[in-house]
Amino acid sequence: MFDFSGTLFRLEQNSSWLSDLTTPDGAPLDVEAQTELMRRMTAPTGQVVELSDEYQHAWENRDLDPALHRKIYLEVLRKSGVAHAHQAEALYNRLIDPAEWTPYPDTEAALKDTAAKGVKVGVLSNIAFDIRPAFAMRGYTDFVDEFLLSFEEGYIKPQPEVFRLLIDKLGVAPEDTLMVGDSEEADGGAKALGCAFALVDPLPTTERPDGLLTALRTHGVL
């Protein structure tokens, strides 16, 4: 089982998306602010800004409801210094566009080689938009047996139900299952069911050429 964001794919910082963003006083966001903005938009766990009760509910349920996902991330952008609503909307739309996500250098090999060995492959993501097109447009879909997305199922990692759902769909035993992800807190929840767990670092794609293959080899999958 693979996580999506920070594991198989990454939303890379693209300066062209951020070049027109300005602070409330009209100044452009500096590089440090841009980097922090992208971190806040893709962090798998941990609250990134202080929120009112209304937005707290949206934050806690963002990966279960696309409307709440949009609502909270537009608020995160506003609280992070993006001054204008149209700027926030444009950046948010990049976030949920599967075409904008970059696969890690070894994503194709990790999926293809695992499937070629007859091992069932599942992708499990806390997310509020459909990531299947990101796989389809790169020819990866044939290497994935099941996709399980939180907003479609009503559970989020680390709830054991979400891991159990995917394990059952794959038709495998927990003790024969490896979860690969970038979050000890979220993805590591699979250990409660008896699954093995491999942690990968959500580095920029150019800085992690073989993290997936290393994890699979370490655990005897490849």
Side-chain angles (χ1 to χ4, degrees):
M1 300 190 295
F2 293 96
D3 171 50
F4 173 69
S5 174
T7 302
L8 293 175
F9 286 71
R10 189 173 189 271
L11 187 67
E12 301 278 34
Q13 183 170 338
N14 186 321
S15 59
S16 69
W17 303 352
L18 307 171
S19 58
D20 294 333
L21 299 185
T22 57
T23 63
D25 61 4
L29 295 181
D30 60 27
V31 172
E32 183 176 341
Q34 292 180 11
T35 301
E36 175 61 14
L37 193 60
M38 295 301 290
R39 185 195 71 80
R40 292 183 180 188
M41 296 299 286
T42 58
T45 59
Q47 188 167 315
V48 294
V49 296
E50 291 188 13
L51 299 166
S52 66
D53 290 345
E54 174 190 357
Y55 286 102
Q56 188 68 40
H57 170 77
W59 176 261
E60 293 170 358
N61 293 277
R62 67 194 184 281
D63 289 323
L64 297 174
D65 183 335
L68 293 179
H69 191 272
R70 175 176 288 274
K71 175 179 179 176
I72 189 54
Y73 279 109
L74 291 178
E75 176 68 1
V76 167
L77 288 169
R78 186 186 71 81
K79 284 212 160 192
S80 300
V82 178
H84 303 292
H86 71 278
Q87 294 178 338
E89 287 278 358
L91 184 54
Y92 177 80
N93 288 335
R94 297 278 195 177
L95 168 69
I96 63 170
D97 181 353
E100 299 290 359
W101 289 73
T102 303
Y104 278 90
D106 59 344
T107 291
E108 180 175 4
L111 295 173
K112 185 176 182 178
D113 293 356
T114 300
K117 290 181 71 76
V119 176
K120 293 287 188 179
V121 175
V123 174
L124 173 57
S125 182
N126 285 356
I127 206 154
F129 60 95
D130 190 0
I131 59 175
R132 294 176 186 88
F135 293 77
M137 66 181 59
R138 295 172 176 87
Y140 299 169
T141 304
D142 288 346
F143 311 135
V144 180
D145 295 286
E146 296 285 347
F147 289 90
L148 200 150
L149 311 181
S150 59
F151 81 101
E152 295 178 340
E153 301 293 344
Y155 296 105
I156 57 174
K157 297 176 289 185
Q159 292 177 300
E161 292 89 346
V162 74
F163 299 106
R164 174 62 68 184
L165 277 170
L166 184 51
I167 288 169
D168 289 347
K169 285 177 179 288
L170 294 172
V172 295
E175 59 269 23
D176 296 326
T177 303
L178 171 67
M179 179 70 208
V180 182
D182 69 314
S183 171
E184 182 79 40
E185 178 182 345
D187 303 308
K191 294 186 290 185
L193 276 71
C195 302
F197 172 61
L199 183 67
V200 293
D201 196 333
L203 293 168
T205 56
T206 56
E207 297 176 23
R208 207 195 75 194
D210 60 356
L212 295 168
L213 292 175
T214 297
L216 295 172
R217 290 166 182 154
T218 299
H219 286 266
V221 177
L222 299 178

